[in-house]
Each structure stands twice: as C-alpha cells, then as structure tokens.
Amino acid sequence: MTQFNRQTFQLSDVAKNSPENAWWSDAVVYQIYPRSFQDSNGDGIGDLRGITSRLSYLAELGVDVVWLSPVYQSPQDDNGYDISNYQDIDPMFGTLADMDELLAKAHELGIKVIMDLVVNHTSDEHAWFKASRASKTSDHADWYIWEDPKTGFTGGEKGAEPNNWGSYFGGSAWQWVPERGQYYFHQFSRKQPDLNWENPDMRRAVFSMMNWWMDRGIDGFRMDVISLISKLHDENGKLRGVNGSLLPEEPAGPDGFSSPSPDCSDGPRLDEFLSEMRCEVFAGREGFLTVGEAPGISGERAEHITNPKNGELDMLFLFEHVDVNSDGPAGKWGRGISHFAETKPSFAKYEQIVKDGGWTSLFVSNHDQPRSLSRWGDTSTEELRVRSAKALALTLHMHKGTPYIYQGEELGMTNADYTRLDQYQDLETLNLYKQITEAGIMTPEEMMAGIKRVSRDNARTPMQWDDSKYAGFESVDAVTAPWLEVNANKATINAQAQMADDNSVFAFYKKLIELRHTNATVALGDWNALETTNENVYAFTRTFHSELGEEKLLVIANLISEESEMDDSISAALAELGRSIEQNDVLISNEDVEALKKQLESGVLKPWTAVVVKVK
C-alpha cells in the first residue's frame, strides 16, 4: 500500500464506515493522457519514461494519485481505448519494465497510480474477439454481442442491421461479419465491439486480468463507461428491436438512428456486476481506488453505487454539468456559449450524493472534454485568463468530494485553436463531421465552429512545459513533430514560467491542494448552497464540527467577466464574522485583501473575483 507523505484527518467512531474515512476523502487526482504528456524518445508520442521523468513535477504540485489513460497494446483506433491486449504495454508507450519503473518512482514519491480499465468493449483485434468472430461454436462465441440480420434482409445490405441503434461515433452500431453470418454490436467505433457481460466466463477473464495488474502494484482503476456494461433485454433475453424482441424500436432521429443509451446505461444487472467485481478483485486489499465513468447514471443511483455499504465503486464521474446546453439535434456540436454558474444545479445534486452517504468526483476537464477554461472562463486577455482560471479552480475545489485535475488545467491551458479540419485527429470529431453535415443538421461552417468549441482534441494537445519549439513535450531537435500540433500560446502558458511565479495559476492550484490536505473543513465539511438572486455569483458554505468547535467557510465566486452584485444571503453570511475581513480571515483568493474589502463592503464583485472566507 502506497503511503502518502502527509497526515490524514482522524474522525470520530461515528464516521468509521463512511467515505469520509477513506484515504481518498482528502486526496486530489491528476489525469495524464500519456501520448500528450512527455515524449522521451523523439518519436512525437508521449510515453511511460516521459511520465516518469515528470513525476517530480506532480509531487511539487502536491497531487496524491495519477490516473493514466490507456497504455495497453492497441491498434489506436480510438487512441488506446480500443485494447487488443490487456496484459502488455503498447510499444509506442514503452514496456512492462517501464511501467514497473514508473510505479516504483511514483510510490517512492508517495503518489498512487491508477490505470484506465476499458471493459465495456475491446479492440476487434483482441484475441477474444478474433476467436468469437471465427465461429458460433468457439469457447468465445458469446463473449460479445451478436445478432442475426433483420428478418427479410440479407446480411450486409442497408436495412439488415438487427435494429436502428446508432453508434456514438457515427453510423450504425452494428457491424456485419460475413464469416460468422451475424452482426456484432458496438456503441463506439466499429473496431470497439461490446463485450457480453451476461457471460460468466468473460467476466472471470476480466477479473483475472484486473487481479494481475493489482498484484503488479497498481493502486486501482478508473473504469471507462462502466455504466454501459449491462444491457436491457426483454423477458426472453432479446435486445430492443431485434428479431422476435418484445421491445419495439424507438423512432429514428434525423441522422437515421436511435440511441442505444436508454437500454445500455445503468442496465438491470449493473449492481450485480459491480458487486461481483468488488468481491473477485478488491476483497482483502487496502489502499486502492475505484472510480467509474458513468454516463446515464442519476444522482440517486450514484449514491447507491458509491455508498460503501453496497460494495460497488468508490466514486463516479457524472456528466450533467458538462452536458449543459447540449440539447438539440446536433448535440454538443451545436452547444453555444454558457456560463459556469449554469452548472450550479448539477453540483447541488452531486453534493446531495455525498450528504446521502455516497461520494462524488469533482471535475471540469478530461481527455473527452474541451478545455474548461475555454468553455467557461475568459481567455480574451492574459489578466482575465489567469483570474478566471483561478476562480473556476477555487469554485470546484471548495466542493466536498475528490477533485480531479486534467493535465495542463493547473496551468490554465486553453483549446487548440485549430482552423482546419485536417488539423484534428479525433475519431469522434471526424466521423461526426461527416454524418452531421451529410444529414443537413449543420452546415460545414457551423460544424467547424462546433468542433473548435468542443472537439476532444482541444484537450489532447501536447503538455506545455516551456516556450521552446515543441513546448518541452520533446526536444527541440527531435526529427518527428508531436503527433498533434502544439498550441501556439505555449510562449505565455507553460509550466517553466509558472513554477517560478508565486501568483501563477500553478501556484494557486498548489494552494488549493494543500488546503484539502491540511484543512478538515475543505476536505470534509458539510456543503450548503446559498440561494443567490444573481445567477452569475456562486456562493456556498462548508461547515465542520470537531472537538475544537465549529469552523465555517464562506465561498464566493463571480463567474463572469462583468461586475456582479452580491445579494442579502451573502451579506448575511459575511455578517457572521462580526467585523470587516482581515488577512487571517481569507483562506484563499485570487484577489488581494484590500481589494476584497472594498468589494465586499460595497456589495459589488469585480469580474472573476473568488474568495474563501472563514466566518466562524
């Protein structure tokens, strides 16, 4: 078990079986997208040795856990989320020996390492799938989801697909295999066939693989789209709309498909599968972390899954807040400008999960989302970029839960700012551009604007370590350029400059992480929202009771590039202090105390002012 280089909080016996007593209750997780973090050999792709060389940076930042996006063997159709061998490292990232070295160095620094677990699907080049597609009678025949062509149609022709489900990456969710004479189901790329979790032999193979990695020394898993592993069937075991099913097809949308999500998200056996995993892999182990990516999971279900008494997962990633303004036929691609304050109702639901006995993950960025600063902050000037980056970070990290930082977020990195389609490599982006424009849902110009706002490649540009030619991602004399173009703003946004600046975004993140480690109210205090009349101001309290008494923190953030008036609820909360604020009352802020005094006394907050004040 990896030990942190810090003390955790000691709680009363009353809370012994709650998430608050778990080692991760006051921890911060840092996500690494390996191909974009650090290249050690000049081939333009980040690798394990590169990550190892930068672990001291993460130790300086103060994070407790590193989550690695997939580094397993893969054809890289979906940048490693299509795994062809779970028990080896893809040569582009290194070797198992490199992985062992990374684990040893991280553990030496007191940093835990969790790996991405992708077991809703595999690559179509995985040995399991090759055996499954070869014969209907092989030992692996039903390790995947196979269906016959629709009655009256010939397999492979248009309309013969078993039902009208569409893939999230574009096109049909069914792929014809002539040698087997059936279609297989894939919610994502056609090279990512869904595993059949109804098969107990398949589940045992997955659990065996997970145990192999845990025994090797990793500290847990982040589980990719784990909420999709159980599918809804009718009483005869048939999927919706397939031959003989009692469940009728849903109407198709303008692209000609219906979504599989209602039948594949939070399916009827999800709890059973997760409980079985907990018993078969994690029983008897200590110091691990299990976090599930959970599209389609409600707040109530999240509380059940993450409540320790149910023995499933430690925490989940929920997506309501990042899906704001994604309604409409074009989905996220048609999403307009929004303000972070619009996410307040979503975060209130997440905090209810914690209040009810579960736990929650706190995030605004990851490898599948655009840069949060470009979406919700203001990058029009350097001053506003820094102020808004700090305000967004403070707001997120002052919630109760486990914060996740995506690489470069701690520097205030921004969207890629590409102007041409050929600059993007993301499979989802390229496929959906074709499907949405051909269906007439958006014009090419409208779709390009959407891609610039929300493409996954926005978060996948190389990490900006310095202002050199390739931003320090690889050496300046490297023969091969980085796999994805470096953001042009590397000269002003890079780690080297910020680590030397006490007022930088990096320095601010360090303070936020240290507060979670040292202040019990930040880590474990009860969360309560203030009902503010100004929708652009986000205010809430954190309260912690101990033998020493009660500490109460007031969090105030103006999340817009305009002045905002405070209302009576904030003034009343500030009045608990009984006097004007002093230096020692401010736990953290992106504003100096004298400026804060003027703003709080006048009741008018400057653009992007954010502060945590001790009021009791």
Side-chain angles (χ1 to χ4, degrees):
M1 175 181 174
T2 306
Q3 298 292 338
F4 293 144
N5 298 324
R6 59 180 174 82
Q7 295 295 313
T8 54
F9 304 114
Q10 300 299 311
L11 303 180
S12 68
D13 290 338
V14 177
K16 288 297 184 186
N17 295 319
S18 80
E20 295 179 342
N21 250 304
W23 64 262
W24 35 256
S25 63
D26 58 349
V28 178
V29 184
Y30 187 95
Q31 182 191 357
I32 288 177
Y33 195 67
R35 64 167 51 219
S36 297
F37 194 63
Q38 179 68 69
D39 176 19
S40 71
N41 60 6
D43 66 355
I45 298 172
D47 47 51
L48 293 177
R49 288 188 174 184
I51 294 170
T52 302
S53 73
R54 295 292 187 177
L55 287 174
S56 58
Y57 166 84
L58 299 180
E60 172 70 16
L61 182 60
V63 298
D64 308 287
V65 184
V66 166
W67 149 31
L68 298 180
S69 285
V71 291
Y72 315 94
Q73 281 190 1
S74 167
Q76 302 295 322
D77 181 64
D78 186 26
N79 286 6
Y81 283 87
D82 51 315
I83 297 168
S84 57
N85 185 347
Y86 287 106
Q87 292 179 227
D88 206 351
I89 300 298
D90 194 283
M92 75 163 55
F93 297 124
T95 65
L96 282 169
D98 293 333
M99 185 66 188
D100 292 340
E101 181 183 357
L102 188 157
L103 289 171
K105 179 64 174 178
H107 291 168
E108 179 185 320
L109 293 169
I111 298 174
K112 293 178 182 283
V113 178
I114 65 173
M115 294 182 71
D116 232 311
L117 181 73
V118 189
V119 289
N120 174 73
H121 48 266
T122 70
S123 166
D124 65 347
E125 298 183 29
H126 195 290
W128 297 347
F129 185 76
K130 290 179 179 178
S132 186
R133 73 180 294 161
S135 169
K136 295 180 182 179
T137 60
S138 77
D139 291 343
H140 294 77
D142 61 347
W143 283 34
Y144 295 82
I145 299 170
W146 296 93
E147 290 290 345
D148 292 328
K150 191 177 289 291
T151 300
F153 289 84
T154 300
E157 70 180 20
K158 187 175 178 57
E161 296 83 4
N163 65 22
N164 66 359
W165 282 348
S167 162
Y168 306 129
F169 284 180
S172 172
W174 298 94
Q175 181 67 28
W176 173 246
V177 176
E179 59 264 40
R180 177 156 167 154
Q182 287 184 307
Y183 288 87
Y184 66 82
F185 176 57
H186 59 94
Q187 293 185 74
F188 299 92
S189 163
R190 65 176 180 80
K191 290 184 67 62
Q192 293 171 298
D194 275 44
L195 286 161
N196 178 18
W197 274 73
E198 301 291 323
N199 185 305
D201 291 334
M202 189 284 298
R203 298 200 302 274
R204 280 191 287 269
V206 167
F207 301 152
S208 176
M209 172 269 294
M210 294 173 68
N211 273 302
W212 184 85
W213 276 111
M214 293 296 293
D215 291 343
R216 199 171 189 102
I218 70 167
D219 301 291
F221 295 96
R222 175 268 187 187
M223 303 180 185
D224 187 65
V225 294
I226 199 67
S227 60
L228 306 186
I229 60 176
S230 173
K231 279 69 171 175
L232 177 67
H233 298 82
D234 70 9
E235 62 188 43
N236 299 315
K238 292 184 175 294
L239 296 172
R240 180 179 302 278
V242 304
N243 294 333
S245 176
L246 301 176
L247 301 171
E249 280 188 333
E250 295 293 339
D255 59 0
F257 302 103
S258 69
S259 173
S261 178
D263 286 11
C264 296
S265 297
D266 197 13
R269 298 187 68 186
L270 180 62
D271 292 323
E272 175 189 347
F273 294 154
L274 294 178
S275 294
E276 183 181 19
M277 177 189 291
R278 190 81 171 197
C279 291
E280 294 297 322
V281 180
F282 301 104
R285 300 186 189 271
E286 294 181 341
F288 62 85
L289 173 64
T290 60
V291 54
E293 184 187 29
I297 296 288
S298 68
E300 293 77 13
R301 287 285 295 127
E303 184 278 322
H304 176 91
I305 291 170
T306 61
N307 193 313
K309 69 181 181 182
N310 297 317
E312 297 187 32
L313 298 177
D314 296 327
M315 61 190 80
L316 297 175
F317 289 120
L318 301 182
F319 296 93
E320 181 179 302
H321 65 299
V322 294
D323 288 340
V324 167
N325 291 336
S326 294
D327 297 333
K332 70 176 184 178
W333 309 98
R335 188 164 65 203
I337 296 173
S338 61
H339 300 295
F340 190 70
E342 294 178 57
T343 68
K344 286 191 285 186
S346 300
F347 279 98
K349 293 178 184 178
Y350 303 159
E351 293 299 317
Q352 188 63 44
I353 294 169
V354 180
K355 186 174 293 186
D356 289 341
W359 201 251
T360 192
S361 302
L362 305 170
F363 76 99
V364 288
S365 302
N366 64 32
H367 64 289
D368 284 334
Q369 300 294 328
R371 288 287 179 182
S372 58
L373 187 56
S374 292
R375 179 176 183 184
W376 285 308
D378 189 335
T379 60
S380 62
T381 68
E382 179 63 7
E383 179 185 3
L384 288 173
R385 182 189 70 83
V386 171
R387 283 183 68 86
S388 60
K390 292 178 179 180
L392 291 170
L394 182 149
T395 304
L396 181 76
H397 282 246
M398 285 302 117
H399 283 80
K400 187 175 183 178
T402 299
Y404 285 70
I405 300 169
Y406 178 70
Q407 63 182 49
E409 180 186 332
E410 76 282 8
L411 304 176
M413 282 181 60
T414 65
N415 275 358
D417 200 30
Y418 296 155
T419 58
R420 307 185 316 274
L421 187 62
D422 63 10
Q423 291 175 287
Y424 294 90
Q425 297 191 32
D426 173 42
L427 179 69
E428 179 194 43
T429 297
L430 300 178
N431 285 355
L432 270 296
Y433 175 87
K434 184 175 187 295
Q435 179 170 307
I436 289 175
T437 56
E438 288 184 354
I441 298 171
M442 299 179 79
T443 66
E445 294 75 21
E446 290 171 334
M447 188 63 185
M448 280 303 300
I451 287 171
K452 190 169 185 177
R453 286 193 300 270
V454 305
S455 171
R456 300 190 300 179
D457 276 347
N458 281 308
R460 299 177 179 184
T461 57
M463 180 72 172
Q464 293 164 213
W465 296 106
D466 56 39
D467 63 357
S468 63
K469 180 180 179 182
Y470 296 130
F473 169 72
E474 59 181 345
S475 61
V476 293
D477 57 354
V479 175
T480 305
W483 73 280
L484 202 60
E485 290 181 33
V486 175
N487 196 313
N489 60 21
K490 60 182 172 59
T492 54
I493 305 174
N494 66 75
Q496 183 181 68
Q498 293 198 28
M499 292 178 74
D501 180 0
D502 290 341
N503 292 314
S504 67
V505 177
F506 176 86
F508 197 79
Y509 269 82
K510 280 187 64 175
K511 292 176 184 176
L512 287 170
I513 294 168
E514 184 180 7
L515 281 173
R516 187 161 295 267
H517 292 167
T518 58
N519 187 294
T521 309
V522 172
L524 303 173
D526 294 336
W527 180 95
N528 284 287
L530 297 186
E531 296 298 327
T532 55
T533 54
N534 188 329
E535 61 182 14
N536 296 314
V537 176
Y538 196 179
F540 52 88
T541 60
R542 300 291 308 282
T543 309
F544 186 72
H545 302 272
S546 70
E547 295 176 356
L548 300 176
E550 176 184 288
E551 180 177 69
K552 186 174 184 179
L553 304 178
L554 172 62
V555 181
I556 310 168
N558 178 23
L559 300 172
I560 195 170
S561 297
E562 299 174 7
E563 291 185 342
S564 291
E565 292 186 4
M566 300 189 311
D567 61 13
D568 292 342
S569 64
I570 298 176
S571 299
L574 280 169
E576 291 188 47
L577 186 59
R579 52 176 168 75
S580 297
I581 66 165
E582 299 174 359
Q583 181 72 52
N584 291 338
D585 300 320
V586 178
L587 202 63
I588 187 170
S589 178
N590 62 353
E591 186 68 274
D592 67 75
V593 174
E594 291 305 313
L596 273 174
K597 281 185 178 181
K598 293 178 181 179
Q599 293 176 54
L600 297 179
E601 289 172 0
S602 69
V604 179
L605 299 171
K606 287 175 56 179
W608 298 105
T609 289
V611 62
V612 181
V613 180
K614 290 185 285 187
V615 294
K616 184 178 289 187

PDB file of all heavy atoms in Angstrom, residues 499-519:
ATOM      1  N   MET A 499       5.982  27.892 -12.604  1.00  0.00           N
ATOM      2  CA  MET A 499       6.574  27.360 -11.384  1.00  0.00           C
ATOM      3  C   MET A 499       7.473  28.382 -10.696  1.00  0.00           C
ATOM      4  O   MET A 499       7.736  28.276  -9.493  1.00  0.00           O
ATOM      5  CB  MET A 499       7.346  26.076 -11.692  1.00  0.00           C
ATOM      6  CG  MET A 499       6.452  24.908 -12.098  1.00  0.00           C
ATOM      7  SD  MET A 499       7.389  23.424 -12.516  1.00  0.00           S
ATOM      8  CE  MET A 499       7.910  22.892 -10.873  1.00  0.00           C
ATOM      9  N   ALA A 500       7.924  29.371 -11.452  1.00  0.00           N
ATOM     10  CA  ALA A 500       8.777  30.429 -10.891  1.00  0.00           C
ATOM     11  C   ALA A 500       7.975  31.658 -10.476  1.00  0.00           C
ATOM     12  O   ALA A 500       8.553  32.661 -10.066  1.00  0.00           O
ATOM     13  CB  ALA A 500       9.838  30.825 -11.926  1.00  0.00           C
ATOM     14  N   ASP A 501       6.640  31.579 -10.577  1.00  0.00           N
ATOM     15  CA  ASP A 501       5.782  32.735 -10.318  1.00  0.00           C
ATOM     16  C   ASP A 501       4.810  32.400  -9.189  1.00  0.00           C
ATOM     17  O   ASP A 501       3.940  31.545  -9.344  1.00  0.00           O
ATOM     18  CB  ASP A 501       5.019  33.093 -11.597  1.00  0.00           C
ATOM     19  CG  ASP A 501       4.099  34.290 -11.432  1.00  0.00           C
ATOM     20  OD1 ASP A 501       4.037  34.861 -10.315  1.00  0.00           O
ATOM     21  OD2 ASP A 501       3.437  34.645 -12.420  1.00  0.00           O
ATOM     22  N   ASP A 502       4.935  33.076  -8.061  1.00  0.00           N
ATOM     23  CA  ASP A 502       4.085  32.804  -6.902  1.00  0.00           C
ATOM     24  C   ASP A 502       2.630  33.201  -7.127  1.00  0.00           C
ATOM     25  O   ASP A 502       1.753  32.801  -6.339  1.00  0.00           O
ATOM     26  CB  ASP A 502       4.616  33.538  -5.673  1.00  0.00           C
ATOM     27  CG  ASP A 502       5.926  32.962  -5.171  1.00  0.00           C
ATOM     28  OD1 ASP A 502       6.238  31.802  -5.526  1.00  0.00           O
ATOM     29  OD2 ASP A 502       6.655  33.669  -4.445  1.00  0.00           O
ATOM     30  N   ASN A 503       2.363  33.975  -8.162  1.00  0.00           N
ATOM     31  CA  ASN A 503       0.995  34.399  -8.452  1.00  0.00           C
ATOM     32  C   ASN A 503       0.386  33.666  -9.655  1.00  0.00           C
ATOM     33  O   ASN A 503      -0.656  34.055 -10.158  1.00  0.00           O
ATOM     34  CB  ASN A 503       0.965  35.906  -8.717  1.00  0.00           C
ATOM     35  CG  ASN A 503       1.280  36.707  -7.470  1.00  0.00           C
ATOM     36  OD1 ASN A 503       0.742  36.428  -6.394  1.00  0.00           O
ATOM     37  ND2 ASN A 503       2.164  37.682  -7.606  1.00  0.00           N
ATOM     38  N   SER A 504       1.024  32.615 -10.091  1.00  0.00           N
ATOM     39  CA  SER A 504       0.576  31.897 -11.280  1.00  0.00           C
ATOM     40  C   SER A 504      -0.612  30.993 -10.980  1.00  0.00           C
ATOM     41  O   SER A 504      -0.961  30.732  -9.822  1.00  0.00           O
ATOM     42  CB  SER A 504       1.717  31.052 -11.837  1.00  0.00           C
ATOM     43  OG  SER A 504       2.045  30.005 -10.936  1.00  0.00           O
ATOM     44  N   VAL A 505      -1.216  30.489 -12.050  1.00  0.00           N
ATOM     45  CA  VAL A 505      -2.296  29.507 -11.909  1.00  0.00           C
ATOM     46  C   VAL A 505      -1.754  28.258 -11.231  1.00  0.00           C
ATOM     47  O   VAL A 505      -2.407  27.670 -10.359  1.00  0.00           O
ATOM     48  CB  VAL A 505      -2.901  29.172 -13.288  1.00  0.00           C
ATOM     49  CG1 VAL A 505      -3.984  28.103 -13.158  1.00  0.00           C
ATOM     50  CG2 VAL A 505      -3.488  30.430 -13.943  1.00  0.00           C
ATOM     51  N   PHE A 506      -0.553  27.822 -11.607  1.00  0.00           N
ATOM     52  CA  PHE A 506       0.073  26.655 -10.994  1.00  0.00           C
ATOM     53  C   PHE A 506       0.199  26.836  -9.485  1.00  0.00           C
ATOM     54  O   PHE A 506      -0.144  25.941  -8.696  1.00  0.00           O
ATOM     55  CB  PHE A 506       1.450  26.423 -11.617  1.00  0.00           C
ATOM     56  CG  PHE A 506       2.232  25.289 -10.997  1.00  0.00           C
ATOM     57  CD1 PHE A 506       2.052  23.989 -11.448  1.00  0.00           C
ATOM     58  CD2 PHE A 506       3.139  25.523  -9.974  1.00  0.00           C
ATOM     59  CE1 PHE A 506       2.760  22.938 -10.883  1.00  0.00           C
ATOM     60  CE2 PHE A 506       3.858  24.475  -9.407  1.00  0.00           C
ATOM     61  CZ  PHE A 506       3.661  23.180  -9.858  1.00  0.00           C
ATOM     62  N   ALA A 507       0.696  27.987  -9.050  1.00  0.00           N
ATOM     63  CA  ALA A 507       0.856  28.252  -7.629  1.00  0.00           C
ATOM     64  C   ALA A 507      -0.490  28.232  -6.902  1.00  0.00           C
ATOM     65  O   ALA A 507      -0.584  27.782  -5.752  1.00  0.00           O
ATOM     66  CB  ALA A 507       1.554  29.601  -7.424  1.00  0.00           C
ATOM     67  N   PHE A 508      -1.522  28.704  -7.576  1.00  0.00           N
ATOM     68  CA  PHE A 508      -2.862  28.723  -6.989  1.00  0.00           C
ATOM     69  C   PHE A 508      -3.376  27.299  -6.787  1.00  0.00           C
ATOM     70  O   PHE A 508      -3.959  26.980  -5.738  1.00  0.00           O
ATOM     71  CB  PHE A 508      -3.802  29.518  -7.891  1.00  0.00           C
ATOM     72  CG  PHE A 508      -5.076  29.949  -7.231  1.00  0.00           C
ATOM     73  CD1 PHE A 508      -5.104  31.045  -6.390  1.00  0.00           C
ATOM     74  CD2 PHE A 508      -6.257  29.267  -7.469  1.00  0.00           C
ATOM     75  CE1 PHE A 508      -6.285  31.458  -5.789  1.00  0.00           C
ATOM     76  CE2 PHE A 508      -7.440  29.662  -6.873  1.00  0.00           C
ATOM     77  CZ  PHE A 508      -7.454  30.763  -6.032  1.00  0.00           C
ATOM     78  N   TYR A 509      -3.154  26.434  -7.777  1.00  0.00           N
ATOM     79  CA  TYR A 509      -3.565  25.032  -7.644  1.00  0.00           C
ATOM     80  C   TYR A 509      -2.811  24.364  -6.492  1.00  0.00           C
ATOM     81  O   TYR A 509      -3.384  23.540  -5.759  1.00  0.00           O
ATOM     82  CB  TYR A 509      -3.331  24.272  -8.949  1.00  0.00           C
ATOM     83  CG  TYR A 509      -4.527  24.277  -9.873  1.00  0.00           C
ATOM     84  CD1 TYR A 509      -4.790  25.351 -10.706  1.00  0.00           C
ATOM     85  CD2 TYR A 509      -5.405  23.199  -9.914  1.00  0.00           C
ATOM     86  CE1 TYR A 509      -5.885  25.355 -11.562  1.00  0.00           C
ATOM     87  CE2 TYR A 509      -6.503  23.183 -10.759  1.00  0.00           C
ATOM     88  CZ  TYR A 509      -6.741  24.270 -11.578  1.00  0.00           C
ATOM     89  OH  TYR A 509      -7.831  24.255 -12.414  1.00  0.00           O
ATOM     90  N   LYS A 510      -1.535  24.677  -6.329  1.00  0.00           N
ATOM     91  CA  LYS A 510      -0.772  24.117  -5.215  1.00  0.00           C
ATOM     92  C   LYS A 510      -1.428  24.468  -3.879  1.00  0.00           C
ATOM     93  O   LYS A 510      -1.541  23.625  -2.978  1.00  0.00           O
ATOM     94  CB  LYS A 510       0.667  24.653  -5.229  1.00  0.00           C
ATOM     95  CG  LYS A 510       1.607  23.992  -6.201  1.00  0.00           C
ATOM     96  CD  LYS A 510       3.046  24.475  -6.011  1.00  0.00           C
ATOM     97  CE  LYS A 510       3.609  24.094  -4.667  1.00  0.00           C
ATOM     98  NZ  LYS A 510       5.042  24.461  -4.526  1.00  0.00           N
ATOM     99  N   LYS A 511      -1.867  25.714  -3.753  1.00  0.00           N
ATOM    100  CA  LYS A 511      -2.503  26.151  -2.516  1.00  0.00           C
ATOM    101  C   LYS A 511      -3.831  25.419  -2.292  1.00  0.00           C
ATOM    102  O   LYS A 511      -4.147  25.025  -1.164  1.00  0.00           O
ATOM    103  CB  LYS A 511      -2.744  27.663  -2.551  1.00  0.00           C
ATOM    104  CG  LYS A 511      -1.471  28.497  -2.523  1.00  0.00           C
ATOM    105  CD  LYS A 511      -1.791  29.980  -2.662  1.00  0.00           C
ATOM    106  CE  LYS A 511      -0.527  30.821  -2.728  1.00  0.00           C
ATOM    107  NZ  LYS A 511      -0.836  32.263  -2.954  1.00  0.00           N
ATOM    108  N   LEU A 512      -4.591  25.237  -3.358  1.00  0.00           N
ATOM    109  CA  LEU A 512      -5.871  24.538  -3.240  1.00  0.00           C
ATOM    110  C   LEU A 512      -5.660  23.094  -2.787  1.00  0.00           C
ATOM    111  O   LEU A 512      -6.392  22.583  -1.929  1.00  0.00           O
ATOM    112  CB  LEU A 512      -6.610  24.554  -4.579  1.00  0.00           C
ATOM    113  CG  LEU A 512      -7.212  25.892  -5.005  1.00  0.00           C
ATOM    114  CD1 LEU A 512      -7.682  25.816  -6.449  1.00  0.00           C
ATOM    115  CD2 LEU A 512      -8.378  26.280  -4.080  1.00  0.00           C
ATOM    116  N   ILE A 513      -4.654  22.439  -3.349  1.00  0.00           N
ATOM    117  CA  ILE A 513      -4.373  21.051  -2.982  1.00  0.00           C
ATOM    118  C   ILE A 513      -3.899  20.977  -1.529  1.00  0.00           C
ATOM    119  O   ILE A 513      -4.324  20.106  -0.763  1.00  0.00           O
ATOM    120  CB  ILE A 513      -3.325  20.456  -3.940  1.00  0.00           C
ATOM    121  CG1 ILE A 513      -3.908  20.366  -5.358  1.00  0.00           C
ATOM    122  CG2 ILE A 513      -2.873  19.078  -3.453  1.00  0.00           C
ATOM    123  CD1 ILE A 513      -2.879  20.056  -6.422  1.00  0.00           C
ATOM    124  N   GLU A 514      -3.021  21.906  -1.143  1.00  0.00           N
ATOM    125  CA  GLU A 514      -2.529  21.921   0.228  1.00  0.00           C
ATOM    126  C   GLU A 514      -3.665  22.147   1.222  1.00  0.00           C
ATOM    127  O   GLU A 514      -3.697  21.530   2.299  1.00  0.00           O
ATOM    128  CB  GLU A 514      -1.465  23.010   0.393  1.00  0.00           C
ATOM    129  CG  GLU A 514      -0.837  23.035   1.779  1.00  0.00           C
ATOM    130  CD  GLU A 514       0.210  24.119   1.924  1.00  0.00           C
ATOM    131  OE1 GLU A 514       0.363  24.944   0.999  1.00  0.00           O
ATOM    132  OE2 GLU A 514       0.879  24.143   2.973  1.00  0.00           O
ATOM    133  N   LEU A 515      -4.610  22.999   0.873  1.00  0.00           N
ATOM    134  CA  LEU A 515      -5.749  23.234   1.753  1.00  0.00           C
ATOM    135  C   LEU A 515      -6.558  21.961   1.964  1.00  0.00           C
ATOM    136  O   LEU A 515      -7.016  21.678   3.079  1.00  0.00           O
ATOM    137  CB  LEU A 515      -6.650  24.331   1.179  1.00  0.00           C
ATOM    138  CG  LEU A 515      -6.186  25.768   1.382  1.00  0.00           C
ATOM    139  CD1 LEU A 515      -7.077  26.736   0.619  1.00  0.00           C
ATOM    140  CD2 LEU A 515      -6.194  26.113   2.879  1.00  0.00           C
ATOM    141  N   ARG A 516      -6.765  21.178   0.925  1.00  0.00           N
ATOM    142  CA  ARG A 516      -7.520  19.933   1.070  1.00  0.00           C
ATOM    143  C   ARG A 516      -6.772  18.946   1.974  1.00  0.00           C
ATOM    144  O   ARG A 516      -7.384  18.150   2.677  1.00  0.00           O
ATOM    145  CB  ARG A 516      -7.801  19.308  -0.300  1.00  0.00           C
ATOM    146  CG  ARG A 516      -8.723  18.093  -0.257  1.00  0.00           C
ATOM    147  CD  ARG A 516      -9.310  17.814  -1.610  1.00  0.00           C
ATOM    148  NE  ARG A 516     -10.183  18.906  -2.029  1.00  0.00           N
ATOM    149  CZ  ARG A 516     -11.505  18.944  -1.810  1.00  0.00           C
ATOM    150  NH1 ARG A 516     -12.091  17.950  -1.174  1.00  0.00           N
ATOM    151  NH2 ARG A 516     -12.229  19.949  -2.226  1.00  0.00           N
ATOM    152  N   HIS A 517      -5.447  19.011   1.939  1.00  0.00           N
ATOM    153  CA  HIS A 517      -4.644  18.122   2.773  1.00  0.00           C
ATOM    154  C   HIS A 517      -4.599  18.558   4.236  1.00  0.00           C
ATOM    155  O   HIS A 517      -4.427  17.724   5.126  1.00  0.00           O
ATOM    156  CB  HIS A 517      -3.203  18.068   2.249  1.00  0.00           C
ATOM    157  CG  HIS A 517      -3.068  17.392   0.929  1.00  0.00           C
ATOM    158  ND1 HIS A 517      -1.918  17.476   0.164  1.00  0.00           N
ATOM    159  CD2 HIS A 517      -3.923  16.610   0.225  1.00  0.00           C
ATOM    160  CE1 HIS A 517      -2.079  16.782  -0.958  1.00  0.00           C
ATOM    161  NE2 HIS A 517      -3.289  16.250  -0.937  1.00  0.00           N
ATOM    162  N   THR A 518      -4.722  19.861   4.480  1.00  0.00           N
ATOM    163  CA  THR A 518      -4.456  20.379   5.825  1.00  0.00           C
ATOM    164  C   THR A 518      -5.673  20.934   6.543  1.00  0.00           C
ATOM    165  O   THR A 518      -5.628  21.118   7.760  1.00  0.00           O
ATOM    166  CB  THR A 518      -3.388  21.490   5.767  1.00  0.00           C
ATOM    167  OG1 THR A 518      -3.854  22.543   4.897  1.00  0.00           O
ATOM    168  CG2 THR A 518      -2.070  20.944   5.229  1.00  0.00           C
ATOM    169  N   ASN A 519      -6.744  21.218   5.819  1.00  0.00           N
ATOM    170  CA  ASN A 519      -7.911  21.842   6.428  1.00  0.00           C
ATOM    171  C   ASN A 519      -9.088  20.860   6.378  1.00  0.00           C
ATOM    172  O   ASN A 519      -9.590  20.532   5.297  1.00  0.00           O
ATOM    173  CB  ASN A 519      -8.263  23.148   5.697  1.00  0.00           C
ATOM    174  CG  ASN A 519      -9.367  23.918   6.396  1.00  0.00           C
ATOM    175  OD1 ASN A 519     -10.498  23.464   6.471  1.00  0.00           O
ATOM    176  ND2 ASN A 519      -9.033  25.092   6.909  1.00  0.00           N
TER     177      ASN A 519
END
